[in-house]
C-alpha cells in the first residue's frame, strides 16, 4: 500500500515492463503477438543441446537416487513415522498425524501395489527390514523416483524461463549432486513428494505465464489447471505448501495488477474473467483436491486404531470395532461409578483423612475430609450418583442420568457426600476446596453446596450419560466452578495424591472428566448385554473440520527439543545436519547434510542477487541506468520470481515456534539453485540484442563465442559440486564406513559426525 | 487475501459502466477535477484570514474538560488499585534509594517516585495490592500528578489532528474520541506508567506531524526545533516502556522514506543531502539514545543502596551499592583463599555443589549453579597436585594469575571440582562436571587452568576479586567450565546445569566467571575504589537482563490468569478488566473502552484499507480522483497512522508473553487517528449539511457513551449489580 502510494506520484513515468515470472524477455511494447514470441525459440542445434542435456541429467538423477537404495536394510530416522503410517493405511486402522494425507497415501499405494499387508510397525530406528519381511525397497523407490524427477523439472524450469543451456545445467547440477536432496528422497519420507510438487508448481506456472498472449486458450487452461493441481499436491503433503501458494499468489497478484492497467486495454469483463479463472484454477481446484484426499483418508481408515484418542467420542463411534461403541454403557441414578480425569487419568478419590488446618504458606483449610485424584483402582474411588432429592424407593431403577442434570455424589466407603465451598484449595488460593460432608449435613444446611451439574463437552441437552463416551465437566451449582485437577502432587499429608479443586476458569479443556466404569453393575444386568452396535455415520465436513482442528493444534504443540533440531538462520550456511542412522560394527553412518559447496555457492549468489537489486535501485534513483531494459526485465521478472520463491519458502520459518530441521530448507534450496543458474547467465552471458528486420523487432541471441565464459563457469561449478558430492557421499549413502581420519576430514563446521575417534 | 480479492472484484464490476461510458464517448483518458472538488477548493480558502478564535479556544476548552474527566473523584478509592501495587512500590524504592529490578526502563517509575517526593511521602508504604493507603501517603496527589499526563494527551491529540491537516470538525472529532475514551480516562487516574506512555506516544506523533509540515523549510530554526523535540520525545517514550520502540519505528520508517525521496532528487547538492542525513542521525538516533541512557544514569545515581534487585546485576555493580557484603574482601586471590565463584552470563548463579549425586552418568557428587547465598557455594583455591602443597601456617603467599593451574576444593564436602569424558546429564554434547575425591585422593582431572579474559585494570597477571573475569579450562580435556541457562530435573533441585563445553568460544559469556566473595586472613582488605563499575557495562547488563526477564513472562499453562487477555480480543472490545476486588464495599473500576470509539476505529482500519485499494484500482484504470495534495494527505495523515497501528498491534500477536488489555492503548490512538482521518476525508466529499449531521451524530454517540459508561471510570460505589445495565456482553464482567 505504501509503495503504491509512492507510485501514484510517479504516474506518467515509463513503466519498467510487465512483471511476472515467465521468460520476461518479451517486453510488451516490443512484441505483441505470440508468433513473434516464437521467434525467440532457440535454433535447432541449440534445441538438440537442451534435449541431450536433459536426457543425461535425468539419467544421472535416477542413478544417484537409486544407487544402493536397499542399503541400509534397517529403519532409518523418520521412516519410523511414515513407514508406520503406510502400514496403518494397509491395515486400514485409524491413525492421527499432523501432516495431510497425500504423501502418506502414495506410500500406502506403493505398499498395496507390491501386496504388502502392513504387519510391521517401524517401531525403532535400526529395526531390520529383512527379518521383518518388509518390501522396503519398493517403498523407497517411490520417493527416489519423485526425487529423481525433480532434477529434470528444475532443468525444464530454467529452459522454459528462457535461460541459456549452461545456466540451466548449472541449476540442475546443484540439485542433482546435492547430498541433502539425495539423502532425503531415497528414504521413506514425505519430502520427495513435497519438493517435486513444489518444483512442478513453479514450472507449470511459468508455462502458463508464457501463454499470456493467448488467454483462455486450451493450452492456457491446461497449464493453469496443472499449476492448481501441483499446488494442491504440495499443500496436501505438508502444510509448508502454503509457502508455494504465497509464491504463485504473489506472482499472480502482480500479473493481475498489470492486466488491470488501463493502457493494456482490457475491459473490466475480460479482467473479471482473468480474475475468476485464476481464482478457480489456483484456489478452488486445489482446495477440492485437498478435500478429496481427506475423503480418501477417511474411506480407507474405517477401523478403530491408535489415532482414536485424538478424536471426539462422536468421531470414534464412526470407526468399526471401536472400544467406545463396544463398551459404552448408559449410566443410571444410584449407580456406583468411577470418575476419571481425561488429561491426568486420575480417579476422583476420597479417604478418611482430613485437610491439615494450616498449609505451609500459612493459609488455613476447612479441615474437611480430603478429596484427591488417585490414578489406581481402589474402592475409595467409588461414588454413587444421586439425584438432588431422593427418588421414591419404587422408582429408583433405570433412571438415566442426562446432560444438564444436577446430581449429588455420594462416597461409598466413608458415607459422605462431595461438596465444594468458598475456601481456598491447598495450592491455589484462587480455586475452591473440594471436600465431603456427612449425610445429615448434606441433606441439611449444606445441601446447596453438594449440588453439581453435569455439563457435556460439545453435547446436546438431554443426551444420556454413558461410560467412556461422554466427556463432561462437573460444575458446582452455587459457585459455578468446575472440578479440576493437575499433576503437581500434594504433600505427604495427602500421600502425594493429586489435588482436586474448583477452577473458576470453566472453559479450560483440562476440566474434562468421564465415567470409567460402573462397578455396581451386576454381571447379568441388561445393560451389560450389548446389542450389536452399528457404526455411526458423520458427515464428511464434520469429520474433516474436527481432524483439521486437531492437526493444527498438535502441529503447534510440537515444541519439544530434539538434539538435531536447528534454527532457520543456520540453514543457508549449512551449519549442522541431522544424524539419521549409525552402525557401530562397520563404522557406517548416514548424516543428513547438503553438499556444502553447492549450498554455500547458492547462498552467496542469493546475496549477490540482493546486492544487484540494491545497486540497481540506488543507481536508478540517481538517474543512472546501468542495465538495458531486456536484461532488467529478466532480472526482476524471471530471476525475481525465483528469488520470491526462495524468500517465501524460507523466511516464514523464522516465525514458527515448532521444532525445525535442516530438511525444511530443501524447497528454498531448490529455488536458490534456480537463482544461481540465472545469475551465471547474468554474469557470464552476453546480452541479446534487438534488431529490426523487415520492420519487425526480432531478438538476436548474443554471439556463440561469447557463451564460452558461461560454459567455463558451468564446468568449474559442476566439477567442484561433483567433488563435494563425492566427498560427502559416504555419509549420504551410509556406506562405506570411514576411518576416524576420514570422518575428521569431513567435520568442516563442527558437524556432529559419529566415529570421529 | 480472499476478502481483498473479492472486494477488488466487487468494486470493479460496480465501476464497469462508468468505464464503458468513458470509452464510448471517446473522452480523454484522464478526467479532470470534478466540479464538487473545485467547489471544495473555493471553500477552503477564506479560512486562513484573520485570527482564528477556534484555534485558541478549542484547545483550552478541551484541556479543561480533559482535566475534569481525569481528575473527577480521583481520590475516591483509598486502596491500592491494580498495578499501583507494582509501580507505587517502585516509586517507593526511589524514595528509599534501594536498588530494585524491573522489566521496564526507569523514566516512568522515576516520575512516580518524583510524584511521591513532591507529595512528601517517605517511601515506607509497601503498596500491597488491595491495602488501604495510610494517612501519611498522599496518594491523591500522586494520582493527580499521573493524571496530568493523561489529561495533557487531549490538547496533544487536538494539535496533532490539526498538523495532519484535518478540518476543524475532524480535529474536534479526534480530540473528542481521545477525551471520551473511557479506558484512557480510567487508566490515567492511577499510579501507573500508561498515562506517561500515552503522553509520550502522543508527543511523538505530534512532533512527527509537525516536523513533516516543516519539510518545506529545511534547516530553519523551527525545523531543527521539531527534529530535536522528536528525538527527545522518542527517547522519553522508550524510557517509559519498550513499547515506545514501535512509535520510534513509525518515525524511522518516515525518515527512511523521506531520505529515499530526497535521494532521488537529482537537483539536491550532495552536501545538502549529507546534511539531511547528519541532522537525522543526530536528532533521531543520538538524542534519543542519550535520553534513554540519561534515564538509566539517573536510575543508578538515585538507587545507591542495596535492595531487592541486587542479584540481577554483576558482582562488581553490587559491590558499589551501599549496605552490601560484597567488596569487603581482599583484592587479589591467592592459593588458600576461600571464594565464591559467580557465572557472568545473564542470570548466572554461583558455582555450587552439594552431597547429592548424579543419578546417571558418573554418579559422583553434583555440581550446579545456584542463585541463593549458601555455604555450599564456597570453594578453596588449592595448588595442583604436582605443585608444593598449601601450608595454612606459612606466611608465604602464592597469587593466582593468568595461565596458572589450580584445584578448586568444595569447602563443605572437601571434594575437588572434577570433569571427565562422561556426557553431561542434560546437555549431552558437553562433559559432565562433578565433585570427586578429597585433598589426597584424586587425579590430574581435578586440574583447572585459569584464563583471565578481562580485568578492569587491564593487568592479567593476578586474579582479582570482582574485577577479573576468567574462564576455567580443564587441563586434561581442554574443555571450559560452563553454566548455560539449562535447569536440571528435580533430582538436581532445578538448579542450573554446569558442564564442561568442548568448544573454545572466548565470547561465550556463560563460560565467564568472576570471584564474588573472597576471604583470606593473610591478605589486606581491598580499597573500595578498586571496585569501580563502568556505567556502560552496567547499562548494557541491566538492559539485557530486562530483556531476558521480559521474554520469561510467558503464560504459565498451570496458572490461570483471569486478567490476561488475547490480542484478538482488544480491537473488538471483547473483554474488560476488573482493576480491584469486586466487593460491595470497594469503589470498583472496570477497564473498558468507549464501545463506539473501539468498534468504529477498528472498522475504519478496514474501510480505510479498502478505500485506498479502490483509489488504487481506479487509478490503474485511468481515473484521476485525487489531487496531489489529496494523495499527500492520505499518505501522511492516513497511511502513517495505519502503519503506526500495525506496528503497535502486530507485535503483540507474535509475542509469547502474557498480554493485557492495556497493551492495546497506544495502538488505539493510531486507530483513532485513522478513523478521524477517514471520517474527515469522506465528509469532505459529501454535501455540507449531510456532513454536519454526520458529525453531530458521531459527537453525540461518543459523548453519550462516555457518559453512560462513566461510572466504570469514575468509580462504582455500592454493589456491582446496580451497574448491570452496562454489562452488554458476558465478557464485560462489570456485574
Amino acid at each position: 500500500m505504501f509503495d503504491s502510494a509512492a507510485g501514484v506520484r510517479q504516474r506518467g513515468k515509463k513503466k519498467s515492463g510487465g512483471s511476472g515470472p515467465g521468460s520476461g524477455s518479451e517486453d510488451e511494447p516490443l512484441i505483441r503477438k505470440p508468433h513473434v514470441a516464437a521467434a525467440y525459440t532457440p535454433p535447432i542445434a541449440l534445441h538438440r543441446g537442451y534435449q541431450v542435456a536433459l536426457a543425461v541429467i535425468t539419467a544421472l538423477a535416477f542413478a544417484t537416487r537409486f544407487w544402493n537404495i536397499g542399503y541400509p536394510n534397517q529403519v532409518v530416522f523418520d521412516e519410523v513415522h511414515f513407514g508406520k503410517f503406510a502400514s496403518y493405511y494397509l491395515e486400514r486402522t485409524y491413525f492421527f498425524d499432523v501432516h495431510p494425507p497425500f504423501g502418506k497415501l502414495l506410500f500406502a499405494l506403493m505398499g498395496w501395489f507390491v501386496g504388502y499387508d502392513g504387519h510391521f510397525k517401524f517401531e525403532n530406528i535400526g529395526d531390520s527390514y529383512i527379518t521383518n519381511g518388509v518390501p522396503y525397497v519398493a517403498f523407497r523407490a517411490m520417493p527416489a523416483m519423485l526425487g529423481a524427477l525433480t532434477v529434470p523439472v528444475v532443468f525444464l524450469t530454467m529452459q522454459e524461463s528462457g535461460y541459456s543451456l549452461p545456466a540451466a545445467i548449472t541449476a540442475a547440477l546443484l540439485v542433482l549432486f546435492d547430498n541433502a536432496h539425495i539423502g532425503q528422497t531415497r528414504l521413506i519420507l514425505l519430502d520427495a513428494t513435497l519438493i517435486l510438487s513444489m518444483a512442478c508448481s513453479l514450472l507449470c506456472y511459468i508455462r502458463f505465464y508464457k501463454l499470456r498472449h493467448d488467454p483462455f486458450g486450451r493450452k492456457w487452461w491446461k497449464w493453469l489447471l496443472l499449476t492448481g493441481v501441483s499446488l494442491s499436491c504440495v499443500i496436501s503433503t505438508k502444510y509448508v505448501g502454503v509457502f508455494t501458494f504465497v509464491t504463485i499468489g504473489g506472482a499472480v497478484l502482480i500479473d493481475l495488477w498489470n492486466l488491470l492497467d488501463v493502457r493494456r486495454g482490457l475491459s473490466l469483463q475480460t479482467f473479471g474473467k482473468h480474475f475468476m479463472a485464476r481464482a478457480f484454477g489456483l484456489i478452488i481446484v486445489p482446495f477440492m483436491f485437498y478435500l478429496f484426499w481427506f475423503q480418501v483418508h477417511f474411506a480407507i481408515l474405517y477401523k478403530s486404531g491408535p489415532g482414536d484418542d485424538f478424536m471426539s467420542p462422536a468421531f470414534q463411534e464412526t470407526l468399526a470395532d471401536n472400544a467406545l461403541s463396544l463398551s459404552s454403557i448408559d449410566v443410571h441414578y444410584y449407580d456406583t461409578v468411577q470418575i476419571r480425569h481425561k488429561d491426568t487419568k486420575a480417579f476422583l478419590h476420597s479417604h478418611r483423612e482430613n485437610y491439615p488446618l494450616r498449609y505451609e504458606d500459612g493459609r488455613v483449610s476447612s479441615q474437611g475430609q480430603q478429596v484427591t485424584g488417585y490414578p489406581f483402582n481402589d474402592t475409595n474411588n467409588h461414588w454413587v450418583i444421586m439425584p438432588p432429592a431422593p427418588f421414591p424407593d419404587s422408582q429408583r431403577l433405570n433412571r438415566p442420568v442426562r446432560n444438564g442434570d444436577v446430581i449429588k455424589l455420594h462416597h461409598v466407603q466413608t458415607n459422605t457426600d462431595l461438596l465444594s465451598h468458598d475456601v481456598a484449595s491447598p495450592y491455589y488460593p484462587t480455586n475452591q476446596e473440594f471436600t465431603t460432608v456427612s449425610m445429615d449435613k448434606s441433606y441439611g444446611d449444606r445441601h446447596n453446596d453438594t449440588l453439581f451439574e453435569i455439563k457435556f463437552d460439545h453435547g446436546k441437552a438431554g443426551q444420556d450419560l454413558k461410560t467412556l463416551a461422554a466427556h463432561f465437566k462437573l460444575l458446582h451449582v452455587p459457585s459455578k466452578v468446575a472440578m479440576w485437577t493437575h499433576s503437581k502432587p500434594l504433600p505427604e499429608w495427602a500421600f502425594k495424591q493429586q489435588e482436586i479443586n474448583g477452577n473458576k476458569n470453566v472453559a479450560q479443556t483440562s476440566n474434562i472428566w468421564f465415567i470409567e466404569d460402573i462397578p455396581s453393575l451386576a454381571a447379568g444386568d441388561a445393560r451389560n448385554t450389548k446389542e450389536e452396535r452399528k457404526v455411526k455415520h458423520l458427515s464428511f465436513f464434520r469429520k474433516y473440520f474436527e481432524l483439521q482442528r486437531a492437526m493444527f493444534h498438535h502441529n503447534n504443540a510440537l515444541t519439544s527439543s530434539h538434539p538435531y533440531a536447528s534454527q532457520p538462520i543456520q540453514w543457508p550456511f549449512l551449519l549442522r545436519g541431522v544424524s539419521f542412522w549409525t552402525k557401530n560394527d562397520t563404522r557406517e553412518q548416514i548424516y543428513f547434510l547438503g553438499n556444502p559447496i553447492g549450498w554455500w555457492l547458492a547462498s552467496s549468489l542469493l546475496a549477490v542477487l540482493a546486492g544487484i537489486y540494491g545497486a540497481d535501485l540506488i543507481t536508478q534513483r540517481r538517474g543512472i541506468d546501468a542495465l538495458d531494459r531486456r536484461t532488467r526485465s529478466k532480472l526482476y521478472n524471471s530471476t525475481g520470481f525465483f528469488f520470491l520463491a526462495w524468500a517465501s519458502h524460507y523466511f516464514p520459518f523464522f516465525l514458527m515456534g515448532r521444532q525445525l530441521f535442516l530438511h525444511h530448507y530443501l524447497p528454498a534450496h531448490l529455488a536458490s539453485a534456480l537463482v544461481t543458474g540465472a545469475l551465471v547467465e547474468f554474469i557470464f552471458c552476453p546480452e541479446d540484442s534487438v534488431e529490426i528486420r523487415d520492420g519487425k523487432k526480432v531478438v538476436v541471441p548474443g554471439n556463440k563465442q561469447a557463451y564460452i565464459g558461461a560454459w567455463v563457469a558451468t564446468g568449474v561449478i559442476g566439477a567442484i559440486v561433483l567433488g563435494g558430492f563425492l566427498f560427502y557421499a559416504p555419509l549420504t549413502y551410509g556406506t562405506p564406513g570411514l576411518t576416524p581420519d576420514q570422518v575428521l576430514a569431513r567435520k568442516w563446521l563442527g558437524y556432529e559426525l559419529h566415529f570421529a575417534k | 487475501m480472499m476478502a481483498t480479492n473479492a472486494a477488488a472484484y466487487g468494486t470493479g464490476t460496480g465501476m464497469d459502466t462508468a468505464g464503458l461510458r468513458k470509452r464510448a464517448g471517446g473522452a480523454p483518458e484522464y478526467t479532470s477535477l470534478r466540479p464538487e472538488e473545485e467547489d471544495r477548493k473555493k471553500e477552503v480558502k477564506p479560512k486562513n484570514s484573520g485570527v482564528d478564535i477556534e484555534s485558541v479556544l478549542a484547545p483550552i476548552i478541551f484541556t479543561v474538560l480533559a482535566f475534569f474527566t481525569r481528575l473527577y473523584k480521583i481520590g475516591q478509592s483509598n486502596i491500592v488499585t491494580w498495578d499501583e501495587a507494582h509501580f507505587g512500590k517502585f516509586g517507593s524504592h526511589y524514595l528509599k534509594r534501594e536498588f530494585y529490578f524491573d522489566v521496564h526502563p526507569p523514566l516512568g517509575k522515576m516520575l512516580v517516585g518524583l510524584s511521591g517526593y513532591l507529595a512528601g511521602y517517605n517511601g515506607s508504604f509497601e503498596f500491597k495490592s488491595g491495602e488501604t493507603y495510610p494517612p501519611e501517603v498522599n496518594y491523591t496527589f500522586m494520582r493527580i500528578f499521573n493524571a496530568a499526563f493523561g489529561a495533557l494527551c487531549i490538547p496533544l491529540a487536538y494539535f496533532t489532528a490539526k498538523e495532519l491537516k484535518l478540518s476543524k470538525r475532524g480535529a474536534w472529532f479526534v480530540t473528542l474520541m481521545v477525551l471520551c475514551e473511557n479506558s484512557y480516562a480510567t487508566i490515567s487516574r492511577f499510579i501507573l506508567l500508561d498515562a506517561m506512555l500515552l503522553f509520550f506516544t502522543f508527543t511523538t506523533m505530534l512532533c512527527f506531524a509537525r516536523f513533516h509540515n516543516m519539510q518545506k523549510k529545511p534547516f530553519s530554526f523551527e525545523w531543527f526545533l521539531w527534529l530535536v523535540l522528536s528525538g527527545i520525545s522518542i527517547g522519553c517514550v522508550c524510557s517509559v516502556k519498550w513499547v515506545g520502540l514501535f512509535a520510534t519505528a513509525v518515525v524511522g520508517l518516515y525518515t527512511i522514506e523521506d531520505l529515499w525521496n530526497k535521494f532521488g532528487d537529482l537537483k539536491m547538492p550532495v552536501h545538502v543531502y549529507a546534511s539531511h542525513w547528519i541532522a537525522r542521525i543526530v536528532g533521531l538516533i543520538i538524542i534519543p539514545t542519550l535520553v534513554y541512557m540519561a534515564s538509566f544514569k539517573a536510575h543508578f545515581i538515585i538507587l545507591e543502596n542495596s535492595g531487592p534487585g541486587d542479584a540481577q546485576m554483576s558482582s562488581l555493580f553490587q559491590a558499589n551499592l551501599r549496605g552490601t557484603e560484597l567488596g569487603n574482601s581482599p583484592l587479589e586471590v591467592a592459593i588458600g583463599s576461600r571464594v565464591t565463584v559467580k557465572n557472568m552470563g545473564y542470570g548466572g548463579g554461583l558455582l555450587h555443589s552439594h552431597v547429592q549425586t548424579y543419578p546417571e552418568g558418573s554418579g559422583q557428587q553434583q555440581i550446579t549453579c545456584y542463585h541463593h547465598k549458601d555455604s555450599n557455594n564456597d570453594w578453596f583455591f588449592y595448588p595442583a597436585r604436582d605443585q608444593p602443597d598449601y601450608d595454612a601456617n606459612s606466611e608465604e603467599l602464592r597469587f593466582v594469575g593468568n595461565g596458572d593451574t589450580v584445584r578448586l576444593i568444595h569447602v563443605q564436602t572437601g571434594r575437588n571440582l572434577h570433569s571427565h569424558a562422561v556426557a553431561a546429564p542434560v546437555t549431552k554434547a558437553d562433559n559432565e562436571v562433578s565433585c570427586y575425591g578429597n585433598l589426597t585422593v584424586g587425579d590430574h582431572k581435578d586440574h583447572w587452568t585459569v584464563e583471565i579474559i578481562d580485568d578492569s585494570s587491564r593487568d592479567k597477571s593476578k586474579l582479582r576479586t570482582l574485577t577479573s573475569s576468567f574462564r576455567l579450562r580443564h587441563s586434561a580435556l581442554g574443555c571450559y567450565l560452563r553454566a548455560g541457562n539449562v535447569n536440571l530435573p528435580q533430582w538436581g533441585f532445578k538448579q542450573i546445569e554446569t558442564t564442561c563445553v568442548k568448544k573454545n568460544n572466548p565470547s561465550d559469556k556463560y563460560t565467564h566467571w568472576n570471584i564474588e566473595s573472597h576471604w583470606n586472613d593473610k591478605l589486606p582488605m581491598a580499597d573500595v575504589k578498586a571496585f569501580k563499575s563502568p556505567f556502560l557495562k552496567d547499562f548494557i547488563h541491566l538492559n539485557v537482563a530486562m530483556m531476558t526477564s521480559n521474554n520469561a513472562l510467558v503464560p504459565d499453562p498451570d496458572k490461570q490468569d483471569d486478567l490476561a487477555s488475547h490480542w484478538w480480543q482488544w480491537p473488538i472490545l471483547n473483554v474488560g478488566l476488573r482493576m480491584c476486588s469486586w466487593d460491595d464495599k470497594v469503589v470498583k473500576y472496570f477497564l473498558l473502552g468507549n464501545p463506539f470509539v473501539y468498534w468504529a476505529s477498528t472498522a475504519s482500519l478496514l474501510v480505510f484499507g479498502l478505500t485506498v485499494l479502490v483509489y488504487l484500482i481506479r487509478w490503474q484504470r485511468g481515473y484521476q480522483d485525487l489531487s496531489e495534495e489529496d494523495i499527500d494527505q492520505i499518505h501522511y495523515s492516513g497511511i502513517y497512522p495505519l502503519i503506526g497501528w500495525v506496528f503497535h498491534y502486530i507485535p503483540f500477536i507474535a509475542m509469547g508473553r502474557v498480554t493485557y488489555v492495556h497493551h492495546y492503548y497506544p495502538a488505539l490512538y493510531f486507530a483513532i487517528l485513522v478513523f478521524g482521518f477517514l471520517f474527515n476525508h469522506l465528509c469532505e466529499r459529501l454535501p455540507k449539511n449531510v456532513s454536519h449531521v454526520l458529525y453531530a451524530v458521531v459527537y453525540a454517540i461518543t459523548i453519550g457513551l462516555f457518559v453512560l459508561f462513566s461510572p466504570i471510570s469514575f468509580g462504582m460505589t455500592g454493589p456491582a449489580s446496580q451497574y448491570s445495565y452496562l454489562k452488554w456482553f458476558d465478557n464485560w464482567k462489570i456485574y
Side-chain angles (χ1 to χ4, degrees), chain B residues 135-320:
Chain B
E136 72 268 20
V137 181
N138 188 353
Y139 66 94
T140 314
F141 179 84
M142 291 175 78
R143 285 187 186 160
I144 291 174
F145 181 88
N146 197 57
F149 282 95
L152 288 174
C153 289
I154 282 98
L156 287 172
Y158 173 80
F159 291 123
T160 308
K162 274 291 171 85
E163 289 300 331
L164 294 175
K165 294 182 184 148
L166 264 56
S167 67
K168 252 187 277 180
R169 298 173 303 169
W172 295 349
F173 184 39
V174 167
T175 318
L176 207 56
M177 282 195 282
V178 175
L179 174 69
C180 294
E181 175 42 55
N182 297 70
S183 56
Y184 285 177
T186 315
I187 208 155
S188 304
R189 304 165 72 87
F190 298 99
I191 307 169
L192 304 170
L193 300 188
D194 299 84
M196 294 157 192
L197 177 72
L198 284 173
F199 175 79
F200 289 119
T201 309
F202 279 51
T203 54
T204 307
M205 269 314 278
L206 176 64
C207 294
F208 150 79
R210 185 80 193 150
F211 179 66
H212 174 64
N213 289 338
M214 286 291 123
Q215 286 285 10
K216 280 156 268 165
K217 295 187 274 176
F219 304 113
S220 64
F221 170 74
E222 262 198 283
W223 185 87
F224 271 118
L225 176 71
W226 286 100
L227 179 66
V228 170
L229 283 177
S230 301
I232 294 174
S233 180
I234 288 172
C236 289
V237 72
C238 294
S239 311
V240 175
K241 276 190 183 181
W242 278 347
V243 187
L245 287 172
F246 304 141
T248 313
V250 178
V251 179
L253 186 71
Y254 165 73
T255 309
I256 291 168
E257 194 216 342
D258 183 31
L259 287 172
W260 179 249
N261 288 339
K262 291 191 164 53
F263 187 63
D265 181 0
L266 298 181
K267 291 190 208 95
M268 185 182 284
V270 174
H271 70 270
V272 174
Y273 186 63
S275 316
H276 274 293
W277 266 92
I278 294 167
R280 279 163 180 83
I281 289 172
V282 171
L284 300 177
I285 297 176
I286 296 179
I287 290 181
T289 314
L290 287 178
V291 170
Y292 184 72
M293 286 170 70
S295 72
F296 275 88
K297 185 75 194 174
H299 178 75
F300 289 142
I301 291 174
I302 295 174
L303 303 178
E304 56 176 15
N305 297 325
S306 161
D310 289 9
Q312 288 288 344
M313 299 302 289
S314 67
S315 316
L316 193 55
F317 178 85
Q318 292 178 39
N320 286 289

Side-chain angles (χ1 to χ4, degrees), chain B residues 289-366:
Chain B
T289 314
L290 287 178
V291 170
Y292 184 72
M293 286 170 70
S295 72
F296 275 88
K297 185 75 194 174
H299 178 75
F300 289 142
I301 291 174
I302 295 174
L303 303 178
E304 56 176 15
N305 297 325
S306 161
D310 289 9
Q312 288 288 344
M313 299 302 289
S314 67
S315 316
L316 193 55
F317 178 85
Q318 292 178 39
N320 286 289
L321 293 172
R322 215 178 289 156
T324 138
E325 286 292 304
L326 297 185
N328 294 333
S329 49
L331 185 60
E332 287 147 353
V333 176
I335 295 292
S337 287
R338 185 158 65 92
V339 297
T340 60
V341 185
K342 185 175 196 260
N343 188 278
M344 296 187 75
Y346 299 104
L350 295 161
L351 189 67
H352 180 95
S353 183
H354 38 231
V355 289
Q356 284 80 3
T357 55
Y358 286 111
E360 50 201 275
S362 66
Q364 292 167 8
Q365 185 171 313
Q366 294 173 16

Side-chain angles (χ1 to χ4, degrees), chain A residues 77-78 81-82 85 97-107 184 188-198 230-245 290 293-294 548 551-552 555 558 571 580 592 649 653 656 658-667:
Chain A
F77 197 58
D78 273 356
H81 299 296
F82 301 110
F85 296 144
D97 180 35
V98 296
H99 298 299
F102 177 65
K104 291 170 290 185
L105 280 168
L106 280 183
F107 283 114
Q184 193 76 8
I188 308 172
L189 302 171
L190 297 182
D191 299 82
T193 323
L194 179 83
I195 297 163
L196 177 66
S197 4
M198 175 259 178
S230 310
L231 280 173
S232 166
C233 293
V234 196
I235 192 91
S236 310
T237 306
K238 280 189 178 185
Y239 286 120
V240 292
V242 173
F243 306 154
T244 316
F245 274 89
Y290 174 74
W293 299 121
F294 274 91
Q548 187 74 74
M551 286 161 81
F552 281 140
N555 201 22
L558 284 180
W571 300 338
F580 270 12
F592 173 66
H649 282 90
F653 283 108
M656 279 190 201
R658 59 163 282 181
Q659 52 168 266
L660 296 169
F661 293 97
L662 182 64
H663 68 251
H664 287 120
Y665 186 68
L666 288 178

Side-chain angles (χ1 to χ4, degrees), chain B residues 503-725:
Chain B
K503 196 165 172 190
N504 177 7
N505 177 5
S507 58
D508 180 1
K509 272 265 178 195
Y510 294 108
T511 60
H512 294 189
W513 303 83
N514 67 274
I515 306 289
E516 186 168 284
S517 306
H518 176 199
W519 300 269
N520 193 332
D521 297 339
K522 294 180 201 165
L523 291 167
M525 284 296 174
D527 186 2
V528 182
K529 280 183 202 136
F531 303 126
K532 265 258 145 309
S533 179
F535 166 70
L536 215 56
K537 241 185 184 169
D538 296 336
F539 169 74
I540 293 169
H541 185 102
L542 181 54
N543 272 280
V544 175
M546 283 158 61
M547 202 179 312
T548 323
S549 3
N550 204 16
N551 292 341
L553 289 178
V554 289
D556 184 349
D558 295 338
K559 193 184 136 201
Q560 47 165 335
D561 191 343
D562 290 336
L563 301 180
S565 50
H566 293 289
W567 54 271
W568 57 266
Q569 298 177 300
W570 307 333
I572 54 171
L573 200 63
N574 182 274
V575 282
L577 190 153
R578 289 184 178 183
M579 297 178 79
C580 48
S581 112
W582 234 238
D583 198 89
D584 286 354
K585 284 161 274 176
V586 175
V587 183
K588 293 171 281 294
Y589 295 90
F590 192 71
L591 202 49
L592 187 78
N594 182 326
F596 172 69
V597 175
Y598 264 75
W599 292 334
S601 67
T602 304
S604 78
L605 299 167
L606 201 68
V607 176
F608 177 71
L610 289 177
T611 311
V612 172
L613 188 67
V614 168
Y615 277 133
L616 279 174
I617 289 172
R618 283 182 59 82
W619 168 78
Q620 185 78 340
R621 295 303 293 173
Y623 301 90
Q624 220 160 25
D625 304 316
L626 300 168
S627 66
E628 279 289 310
E629 292 87 68
D630 286 338
I631 292 169
D632 213 53
Q633 205 200 353
I634 292 180
H635 186 175
Y636 292 103
S637 311
I639 291 177
Y640 268 103
L642 180 68
I643 291 172
W645 179 83
V646 169
F647 281 5
H648 280 83
Y649 182 60
I650 302 297
F652 286 102
I653 299 178
M655 233 177 250
R657 65 162 279 184
V658 193
T659 50
Y660 300 97
V661 279
H662 66 278
H663 289 153
Y664 185 66
Y665 294 172
L668 177 65
Y669 177 52
F670 291 91
I672 288 175
L673 286 178
V674 172
F675 182 38
F677 169 76
L678 181 74
F679 201 78
N680 187 60
H681 182 81
L682 297 178
C683 280
E684 276 179 1
R685 276 150 187 75
L686 292 172
K688 215 170 176 187
N689 34 8
V690 175
S691 69
H692 276 321
V693 172
L694 280 179
Y695 268 114
V697 169
V698 292
Y699 288 168
I701 298 177
T702 314
I703 298 171
L705 283 175
F706 175 72
V707 174
L708 179 68
F709 280 89
S710 59
I712 63 169
S713 307
F714 295 154
M716 299 179 276
T717 47
S721 52
Q722 295 173 34
Y723 301 94
S724 56
Y725 64 95

Side-chain angles (χ1 to χ4, degrees), chain A residues 1-2 4-11 15 249 253 256-263 265-269 271-273 275-276 283 428 430-431 484 486 502-505 508 614 617-619 621-623 655, chain B residues 1-2 5-6 8-9 12-13 15-16 20 22-23 29-30 253 257 260-266 268 270 557-560 562 608-609 612 616-617 619-622 624 628 631-632 635-636 639-640 642-643:
Chain A
M1 213 168 273
F2 182 75
S4 328
V8 171
R9 271 174 284 114
Q10 293 174 359
R11 180 90 182 167
K15 297 256 297 179
L253 282 184
L256 282 176
W257 183 247
N258 289 323
L259 287 177
L260 193 62
D261 192 336
V262 71
R263 283 166 295 181
L266 292 186
S267 74
L268 276 173
Q269 276 99 335
F271 177 77
K273 266 175 82 183
F275 184 89
M276 291 313 285
I283 297 174
Y428 286 77
T430 54
N431 289 14
W484 180 65
H486 57 93
N503 187 350
K504 284 182 182 143
N505 194 347
Q508 269 177 9
L617 280 179
I618 288 174
T619 51
R621 193 79 189 149
R622 295 302 291 175
L655 299 177
Chain B
M1 179 73 72
M2 284 283 284
N5 280 348
Y9 183 66
T13 43
M15 281 183 303
D16 209 3
L20 281 179
K22 184 190 67 189
R23 221 169 296 131
E29 208 175 9
Y30 303 121
L253 186 71
E257 194 216 342
W260 179 249
N261 288 339
K262 291 191 164 53
F263 187 63
D265 181 0
L266 298 181
M268 185 182 284
V270 174
D558 295 338
K559 193 184 136 201
Q560 47 165 335
D562 290 336
F608 177 71
V612 172
L616 279 174
I617 289 172
W619 168 78
Q620 185 78 340
R621 295 303 293 173
Q624 220 160 25
E628 279 289 310
I631 292 169
D632 213 53
H635 186 175
Y636 292 103
I639 291 177
Y640 268 103
L642 180 68
I643 291 172

